[in-house]
């Protein structure tokens, strides 16, 4: 579940989870953009039977994993790699705190500032 306010989530959880807070922030930005621009897309998540997960899936166009890491490792890509075995996406990305955009095979590692710029300029969805 995604709440309207990350502070509510933290209060209910009794602590501050930086990863969950960042994921909520990205979710709300995407949901706001989709609503504001009246985009007719489905924003979902994906989980395999072996419990691999991808945070956000938009139709078969975009798969997004959100991480607070400043350096994405191969283990951070497991969910996207598992999902790509089932569905071929136009773009797969990890939104994170890295400083520079880079690519690992077909997966883009995207600094969150660049992600937000792409999102709100209409280049992403």
């Amino acid at each position: 579940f995604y709440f309207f306010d990350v502070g509510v989530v933290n209060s209910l959880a009794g602590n501050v989870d930086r990863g969950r807070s960042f994921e909520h922030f990205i979710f709300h930005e995407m949901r706001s953009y989709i609503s504001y621009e009246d985009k007719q897309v489905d924003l979902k998540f994906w989980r395999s039977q072996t419990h691999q997960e991808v945070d956000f899936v938009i139709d078969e166009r975009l798969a997004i994993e959100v991480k607070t890491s400043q350096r994405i490792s191969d283990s951070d890509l497991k969910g996207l790699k598992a999902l790509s075995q089932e569905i071929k996406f136009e773009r797969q990305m990890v939104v994170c705190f890295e400083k520079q955009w880079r690519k690992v095979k077909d997966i883009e590692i995207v600094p969150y500032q660049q992600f937000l710029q792409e999102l709100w300029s209409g280049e992403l969805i």
Side-chain angles (χ1 to χ4, degrees), residues 1 3 5 9 12 27-28 43 49 53 59 65 69 71-72 88-89 94-96 104 109 123:
F1 291 96
F3 289 84
D5 186 326
V9 173
L12 292 172
F27 168 79
H28 284 292
L43 179 59
Q49 291 180 349
E53 293 185 7
D59 300 329
E65 185 66 27
S69 293
R71 185 70 181 161
I72 298 301
K88 181 68 177 163
F89 284 84
V94 178
V95 176
C96 61
V104 177
I109 311 301
E123 298 170 28

Side-chain angles (χ1 to χ4, degrees), residues 13 51 70 79 83 87-88:
H51 303 289
Q70 292 182 3
L83 176 58
I87 303 169
K88 181 68 177 163

Side-chain angles (χ1 to χ4, degrees), residues 93-94 98:
M93 64 178 56
V94 178
E98 283 201 18

Side-chain angles (χ1 to χ4, degrees), residues 45-54 57 59-60 63 78-89 92:
F45 75 97
W46 174 84
R47 181 180 300 138
S48 72
Q49 291 180 349
T50 60
H51 303 289
Q52 294 288 338
E53 293 185 7
V54 173
V57 174
D59 300 329
E60 290 187 2
K78 287 181 195 175
L80 288 169
K81 288 179 178 180
L83 176 58
S84 70
Q85 298 290 320
E86 293 183 21
I87 303 169
K88 181 68 177 163
F89 284 84
Q92 297 179 83

Side-chain angles (χ1 to χ4, degrees), residues 30-31 42-46 54-59 64:
M30 288 192 300
R31 175 57 58 207
D42 289 323
L43 179 59
K44 302 176 183 178
F45 75 97
W46 174 84
V54 173
D55 296 323
F56 305 109
V57 174
I58 299 174
D59 300 329
I64 301 170

Side-chain angles (χ1 to χ4, degrees), residues 13-58:
N15 64 357
V16 175
D17 180 337
R18 183 175 183 226
R20 180 66 73 199
S21 295
F22 186 52
E23 188 177 315
H24 271 76
F25 170 69
I26 296 298
F27 168 79
H28 284 292
E29 287 293 312
M30 288 192 300
R31 175 57 58 207
S32 296
Y33 174 78
I34 289 167
S35 177
Y36 184 76
E37 293 293 330
D38 197 28
K39 297 286 185 178
Q40 301 302 309
V41 297
D42 289 323
L43 179 59
K44 302 176 183 178
F45 75 97
W46 174 84
R47 181 180 300 138
S48 72
Q49 291 180 349
T50 60
H51 303 289
Q52 294 288 338
E53 293 185 7
V54 173
D55 296 323
F56 305 109
V57 174
I58 299 174

